[in-house]
Amino acid sequence: MNAPTVRVLYIDDEENNLHAFKAGFRRQYEIYTALSAAEGLTILENVSVHVIIADQKMPQTTGVEFFKSIIETYPDPIRILLTGYTDIEALADAINHGDIYRYITKPWNDLELHNSIKNAYDAYKAKIDLRNKIIELEKTNDELNRFIYSISHELRAPLVSAMGIVNLVKMEGLFNSSGEYWGLIETCSNKLDYYIQKTLQYYKNNKTVAKHTPVNFSTLINELIELYSYSDRDTHFHVNIKQDIPFYGDVFRIEVILGNLISNAIKYQKEDEKNKKVDINVNVSPTAVEITIADNGMGILNEHLEKIFTQFFKSKTNHGSGLGLFIVKEALNKINGKISVSSNTAEGTTFKITIPNVK
């Protein structure tokens, strides 16, 4: 198998150096030479170069200045600086800006320069291979996400039908006619529906572009309480909303965030608690909305507080998927929001959220 052709561009204002370089390395590499930075730039515009070698001391533009000028437009070629004198400041400047891979003193040693070019090309290949693998991984990940979304979406239709049948059985007074079987079907169906909805939320949060529209927190929160409180009508909500000015934000993600937190506040109530309650306070300002959701439920152990926003994290008292709070954090990241939590097993849990008003 033939070795790959390595294309090297050498820029130097001394023509003798260019000839010497070409004579010494033309058999190993495909050589391009230029007497100035401007000529070098012209070559870069027409040839896909792997390694660029530039002399530091050139009259119009130094090697470091040239490398800095092309870092954005030609980031891939690996850079080697040749210097005939020790200019520590220039070398430090180049290295600090990530512009050079290596520097070599003049007059160069052929073996040293050859090894530097070879290593530079290996670095170039590694960079391109890594980029291609990232692109391939992103494509595979996107396809997998689309597949999961499609399957989840298709699964929900028959599941909703099954849940509808359970409700019909309830309406006809037959729910307890077969022992605990209908109850088991309902429990399993609700759990599966929860997992599917969390999967859909996660996918939509990753793929949906933020849309900033007016948000009425009174309407939104009351709808979410009505939606999620069906599972525990004993939980009492105390809602205090101060919204005297318009708020603009991403309604979809705000609904996902609040829905997950309200659902959790209901789900993790203490079974023997006689006064189950959730306090929701909303304060809208011209710059942001601050939301507090506090419950008197099971609480979270102190050693778990730093982990609760981690994907699939489940404590011994957590009967969910380990996705809810992870999705909350991901959704907040998308809209530049912040969240903090305080909790103990005696008094319950309080989440504090801040979301920018983007008007």
Side-chain angles (χ1 to χ4, degrees):
M1 185 175 179
N2 294 331
T5 300
V6 182
R7 292 183 288 275
V8 180
L9 169 62
Y10 176 31
I11 307 170
D12 195 323
D13 64 317
E14 296 183 31
E15 198 164 356
N16 290 337
N17 289 337
L18 299 180
H19 291 316
F21 179 82
K22 199 163 190 176
F25 295 100
R26 70 181 186 278
R27 295 183 183 277
Q28 295 107 317
Y29 311 113
E30 185 176 316
I31 304 295
Y32 297 86
T33 57
L35 280 166
S36 66
E39 286 185 22
L41 188 59
T42 301
I43 292 172
L44 286 175
E45 291 170 352
N46 295 280
V47 180
S48 179
V49 171
H50 303 129
V51 180
I52 305 173
I53 302 171
D55 183 36
Q56 166 62 8
K57 193 175 182 182
M58 295 188 289
Q60 283 82 23
T61 306
T62 67
V64 169
E65 289 170 346
F66 174 71
F67 285 149
K68 284 184 182 180
S69 71
I70 63 169
I71 192 69
E72 297 293 334
T73 48
Y74 300 98
D76 293 334
I78 306 300
R79 298 149 169 77
I80 297 175
L81 187 71
L82 282 179
T83 175
Y85 61 103
T86 305
D87 187 345
I88 299 300
E89 185 177 341
L91 293 176
D93 187 39
I95 293 169
N96 289 338
H97 285 83
D99 298 322
I100 66 168
Y101 169 74
R102 185 166 296 175
Y103 77 90
I104 296 175
T105 57
K106 293 169 65 178
W108 66 76
N109 175 282
D110 282 1
L111 180 60
E112 180 188 9
L113 187 52
H114 170 69
N115 287 334
S116 296
I117 295 172
K118 183 178 179 297
N119 292 337
Y121 179 68
D122 289 341
Y124 173 88
K125 282 198 305 179
K127 181 194 295 188
I128 300 303
D129 287 345
L130 178 60
R131 179 192 301 158
N132 290 336
K133 286 178 181 177
I134 290 173
I135 291 171
E136 184 179 349
L137 182 61
E138 288 175 344
K139 181 183 176 183
T140 303
N141 187 56
D142 184 60
E143 290 173 351
L144 179 61
N145 281 335
R146 288 177 183 273
F147 174 76
I148 292 172
Y149 175 79
S150 178
I151 291 296
S152 300
H153 194 271
E154 294 299 322
L155 281 174
R156 194 155 192 269
L159 179 61
V160 169
S161 297
M163 294 167 70
I165 292 171
V166 173
N167 287 329
L168 286 174
V169 170
K170 284 182 176 180
M171 291 171 62
E172 295 180 6
L174 301 174
F175 189 75
N176 298 315
S177 63
S178 302
E180 61 181 5
Y181 295 131
W182 282 113
L184 290 172
I185 292 172
E186 182 180 42
T187 299
C188 292
S189 297
N190 287 336
K191 186 175 290 186
L192 181 57
D193 186 49
Y194 173 83
Y195 291 148
I196 289 174
Q197 289 197 57
K198 290 294 169 281
T199 301
L200 295 174
Q201 284 180 358
Y202 176 71
Y203 177 85
K204 289 181 179 178
N205 179 58
N206 278 340
K207 297 299 178 182
T208 305
V209 177
K211 295 181 180 178
H212 300 141
T213 56
V215 180
N216 185 315
F217 283 100
S218 179
T219 301
L220 177 60
I221 288 174
N222 286 325
E223 288 177 350
L224 291 171
I225 291 173
E226 182 62 29
L227 176 64
Y228 290 106
S229 62
Y230 73 90
S231 61
D232 187 351
R233 295 292 182 182
D234 295 332
T235 300
H236 300 287
F237 284 83
H238 302 89
V239 181
N240 180 30
I241 298 175
K242 295 179 181 178
Q243 184 175 5
D244 300 323
I245 59 174
F247 181 91
Y248 286 82
D250 189 331
V251 176
F252 163 70
R253 289 186 172 86
I254 293 173
E255 183 175 340
V256 167
I257 293 162
L258 297 180
N260 275 289
L261 292 178
I262 289 172
S263 173
N264 281 357
I266 298 170
K267 186 187 304 179
Y268 297 111
Q269 286 288 338
K270 299 172 184 174
E271 291 185 8
D272 58 352
E273 175 62 50
K274 295 181 180 179
N275 182 29
K276 300 177 182 179
K277 64 177 183 176
V278 179
D279 296 327
I280 301 176
N281 291 285
V282 179
N283 186 19
V284 178
S285 73
T287 57
V289 60
E290 294 182 352
I291 304 170
T292 303
I293 299 178
D295 64 66
N296 62 340
M298 299 177 185
I300 304 167
L301 294 174
N302 190 56
E303 61 263 32
H304 292 160
L305 283 178
E306 293 184 0
K307 304 175 184 177
I308 60 173
F309 297 108
T310 305
Q311 190 175 23
F312 301 123
F313 173 75
K314 296 172 72 172
S315 65
K316 292 180 180 180
T317 58
N318 185 348
H319 308 299
S321 63
L323 277 174
L325 290 177
F326 170 73
I327 292 172
V328 166
K329 191 68 167 63
E330 290 291 297
L332 281 166
N333 289 340
K334 292 283 186 180
I335 56 177
N336 298 317
K338 296 180 181 179
I339 187 168
S340 62
V341 56
S342 59
S343 182
N344 61 66
T345 54
E347 298 178 0
T349 304
T350 299
F351 288 96
K352 293 182 179 180
I353 304 163
T354 303
I355 301 172
N357 191 342
V358 296
K359 184 180 178 182

